Amino acid sequence: MSEKEKKILTYNKALKELETIVSKIESENVDVDSLADMIKRAVELISFLKEKLFATQNEIEKALKDLEEILHKEK
Amino acid sequence: MERKFYTLSQLSLIIKETFYTVFNTAIWIKAEINELYEHSNRNCYLELIEKDVIKDKIIAKFRAIIWGDRYYFLKKNFENVTGVSFGIGLSVLLKVNVEYNELYGVTLIVLDIDPSYTLGEWEQRRIEILRRLEKEGVISLNKELKIPDVTQNIALISSKIAAGCQDFIKHLLNNPYKFKYNITFYEASMQGEGVEKSIIDILDKIANKNYDVVVIARGGGSKADLAAFDSYRLAYHVCQFPIPIISAIGHERDYTVIDYVANTRAKTPTDAAAIIIEKTLNYWLSCTRFCEKIINYSQEIIYNQINKFSFFSNSILKSKSIIDKHILKIKNLSYSLKYTTKFIVNEQSSNFTNLSNKLSNATKTFFHTNNIALENNIKSLKKNLVNLFMLLNNKVVNYEKIINSHNPINVLRKGYTITYKNKKIIKSKSNLTQDDIITTKFYDGEVSSKII
């Protein structure tokens, strides 16, 4: 996945694409030719989603921590 | 031929006979006294001459005698009438007997002197000089000059030995008004033949100097001495002199040509001083009058202005009292305003304090309550977030597992291979013929082989 695509791609879009790939693969109608490409794409999407999730979680946790500090200070 | 000759006495006799047929009576003659000798025997011996006026040359000369008894009376009479001592330089009209003596030749025996002739002679000379000056157009030049109103610097031409000189200085410097004068003294010969030259020399010397007036002072003396001032050359210089000249040469009755042509004629040197002082005094008086006028005018103006001002100041005072009243009112108002305001402000401020305390307490309580709620919210949010992330992560992990299970590499590991011909997967053997090159993909690489 190019850096450019990473910037444009959203979590939801990536998830939807992954779901589509997974449902295609599960339907067993996939030939081996396209399977390799699909798997390759799916792996990319998964790593993108994991990164995104991880980053978001970190951000939110940090924000919550700041908020708690502010509240404690006001006390 | 025998010569005929006379002895001197015979000649004298012949001359005497002829002489007395002509000069048988006394005659009047006109002459100038060139020499005069009073002998101890009281006789007076004279040398009489006639001059060519133009050439200034003696053209005739006679000896004359006035016998002692007669000389005394004639001299006295002459001097009484003319005011001049009988002496050298005088032009005289004499009644004489012309006598001839064998030893002394021709001698004039003076019988009488006409003093009025001498007087007339002077007058005549004076008139001639004045006429000439008039003809030359210079006669009134010095008169036309104006003596300054205030004469300060005075050149005094006089002789130290002349009484008039001292009179002038004393009178001028001791003036009762205490006016100050600067007198510069120039010594000149004031009698005799040197008068003309010495005065002209001084005039030439001081013409360019900064004098207000020049005083020629002499004071008295005989008429004959005054005759030196009846000089054409001196008068000519005086006329054209650039500084006004005051002549103070004689006494009251004596006039000389200089007196006529000088700017101002003073009877005496004392009179000259008086003229100068009077001029200064007049100026001083007119100044004083001006001063008085100025003082009067300015006083008048000031009084007028004071009157005006007092009118204004009265009205100003009136308006001031009005203003004062207003100021007092305003002061009172401002006092009450101040106190009222203070009271109101105090009241309001205590209200405010109460309100603000209340507000602050309420806010505190509010914030405290809300803070707790907020904290609770955050806690549950955190919990939810963890769940959410777990959920999301599980989803992704799930997909990952599915993907992994389908990944052909895992299948290849189990011993399956994929066969390509010309990079296309071969799923059936019918697609292959002899000598085809095929690529077989293993989990760890590829090999190419030929169909036999």
Side-chain angles (χ1 to χ4, degrees), chain B residues 406-425:
Chain B
H406 284 89
N407 199 334
I409 288 173
N410 294 335
V411 183
L412 292 177
R413 270 184 218 280
K414 290 175 183 168
Y416 300 97
T417 59
I418 302 167
T419 306
Y420 297 89
K421 182 186 148 190
N422 293 335
K423 296 200 175 173
K424 275 185 182 167
I425 292 173

Side-chain angles (χ1 to χ4, degrees), chain B residues 154 167-176 179 181-183 272-274 276-277:
Chain B
I154 298 161
D167 288 348
F168 176 79
I169 294 172
K170 219 191 266 172
H171 199 79
L172 196 63
L173 296 186
N174 297 337
N175 71 80
F179 297 143
Y181 297 101
N182 304 321
I183 303 172
I276 290 171
I277 293 166

Side-chain angles (χ1 to χ4, degrees), chain B residues 146-152 211-213 244 279-280:
Chain B
K146 190 177 175 295
I147 297 177
D149 288 332
V150 181
T151 39
Q152 287 283 280
Y211 290 115
D212 299 319
V213 71
K279 245 181 164 344
T280 316

